[in-house]
Structure formats: structure tokens, C-alpha cells
Amino acid sequence: MKDYPQSDELENNQYFSSRIKKDLDLNSHPVAIKFILHKEDIPEGINKIQDKIRHCEMVQKASRGDSFYSTSEEQLCKGGSSAIGLEDIPEKIASGEFYYGLKRFKSLGSAKRTLDSIPKIDLRSYAIIYTPLEKAEFTPDIVVIIANPMQAMKVSQAIVYSLGGRVESDFSGIQSICADAVAGPFMRKKT
């Protein structure tokens, strides 16, 4: 395990977390997510999650204050795990057959078209760290904010205030937290 010293990154993350929570009146923590390429790069003090749960549940757990890392072995949802770069996408998910079988789509074709357009991280990571932003002693790759519509509007207004223009959204409601909230912004390098 790599020993990351407490640094300006921790102070920056604490500052931004405090501002985000205060300005948005959040009841949960913004979640810092970090992709780890090699086992030896996992920071000291971050333990592997003991549960086998979905990525979206891991984000929820970190938003309540827990810090941990996960490999593909702890990821219960293989569609989510493949979207965030921990493993290859299973054939039944890639073909749309899995979601069509769950009756999430009217046809196999609409399922396949949707799965083809879902963002996926091509880079294979060994693990992913999930932690409240204020506990992150590293620069996060992605920060996830769990917000209600009013809080989301304030985030949009802050983006427009700083950058101008309009906020574009791109989502399908399938693999929402893994693909829409993590893989998409990571691959597009924008919110």
C-alpha cells in the first residue's frame, strides 16, 4: 500500500466539501472517487469493503461517511462494474438481453442501442476508492453529489455562473450512478 501524506489536497477537499455541503444544504457527504490502477497504489488506511454490493450502494455508503475501496470481486452489479472500468462487460449485458429480460425495454433492439451508448471507462483499474470528499487525501477523479432537484439546480447555476453557457445533461436512467454519474463525466471530462 502506498502511504500518501496529509497534504494540501486534504485541506482543499475539506474546504470544498464544507462549501458544497453548506451552499447546497446537503444531508450527505460529497463522494470522492479515485481509480487505482495497481494494488500497491492503494493509500494506507483505506480498507477493502467487506460487503458484496452494487456501485450505486457503495456511493451511497460513502455519502454517509464510510471510506473503503472495492475491486471487481466486491461489485455485485457487473454492468456497473464494467462501466467504471473494473472488468469487461458481460455478453448478456452488452447485447441488451439482460435488461430486456428484466422488462426495462420494449424490444431487444432498444436495449442494445441504449447499452451501446452507455459511457464505459476503457482503462482497467485494479480498484476504486470511495470516501467522503472531506476525508480524501488525494485528488479525486470524480466527485458525486447526491442532491434533490433544488440542490441540482444550484449546482447548474454555479456551473453557468463560472463558465457561462448552458448545462447539458446526458443520461439514460440505466446504470445511472456507474455510467451516467461516474463513467460519463470521467470520459467526457465535464459535468
Side-chain angles (χ1 to χ4, degrees):
M1 292 194 174
K2 201 167 195 172
D3 185 20
Y4 287 96
Q6 285 200 339
S7 65
D8 292 338
E9 287 162 23
L10 178 61
E11 291 174 21
N12 286 340
N13 292 339
Q14 289 171 336
Y15 169 78
F16 285 115
S17 179
S18 172
R19 286 296 309 266
I20 291 167
K21 287 164 63 175
K22 180 179 179 241
D23 291 350
L24 297 179
D25 192 28
L26 290 180
N27 294 323
S28 61
H29 303 279
V31 177
I33 293 179
K34 183 79 174 166
F35 301 103
I36 303 295
L37 295 180
H38 308 286
K39 185 176 185 174
E40 60 271 13
D41 294 332
I42 297 170
E44 194 70 38
I46 303 282
N47 296 316
K48 185 188 283 191
I49 189 170
Q50 297 303 303
D51 306 321
K52 221 177 171 161
I53 60 177
R54 293 168 179 83
H55 165 79
C56 52
E57 294 171 310
M58 292 183 192
V59 169
Q60 201 58 266
K61 190 173 178 69
S63 78
R64 292 191 295 266
D66 293 342
S67 297
F68 53 89
Y69 75 90
S70 164
T71 67
S72 64
E73 294 298 314
E74 294 77 40
Q75 296 280 337
L76 187 60
C77 174
K78 297 306 176 182
S81 182
S82 62
I84 57 178
L86 287 176
E87 61 187 297
D88 292 333
I89 188 167
E91 180 54 38
K92 282 193 172 205
I93 293 174
S95 70
E97 185 180 350
F98 177 75
Y99 289 111
Y100 177 66
L102 292 177
K103 303 198 182 316
R104 301 287 303 270
F105 292 94
K106 183 176 182 178
S107 70
L108 184 57
S110 62
K112 174 71 171 138
R113 277 189 298 284
T114 302
L115 269 294
D116 285 347
S117 68
I118 285 179
K120 297 166 198 68
I121 298 174
D122 294 330
L123 179 68
R124 285 296 159 259
S125 295
Y126 169 75
I128 296 180
I129 296 174
Y130 302 81
T131 189
L133 180 59
E134 66 268 16
K135 293 182 182 179
E137 296 182 29
F138 50 81
T139 301
D141 291 313
I142 294 290
V143 175
V144 177
I145 299 170
I146 298 171
N148 65 35
M150 176 66 85
Q151 293 161 332
M153 181 186 72
K154 288 180 180 181
V155 171
S156 298
Q157 291 170 338
I159 292 168
V160 172
Y161 177 84
S162 297
L163 303 175
R166 297 184 54 79
V167 176
E168 297 176 29
S169 60
D170 178 13
F171 59 93
S172 65
I174 299 292
Q175 297 181 345
S176 301
I177 303 299
C178 54
D180 294 339
V182 175
F186 180 79
M187 296 302 291
R188 289 188 302 268
K189 296 179 180 40
K190 59 183 185 177
T191 57

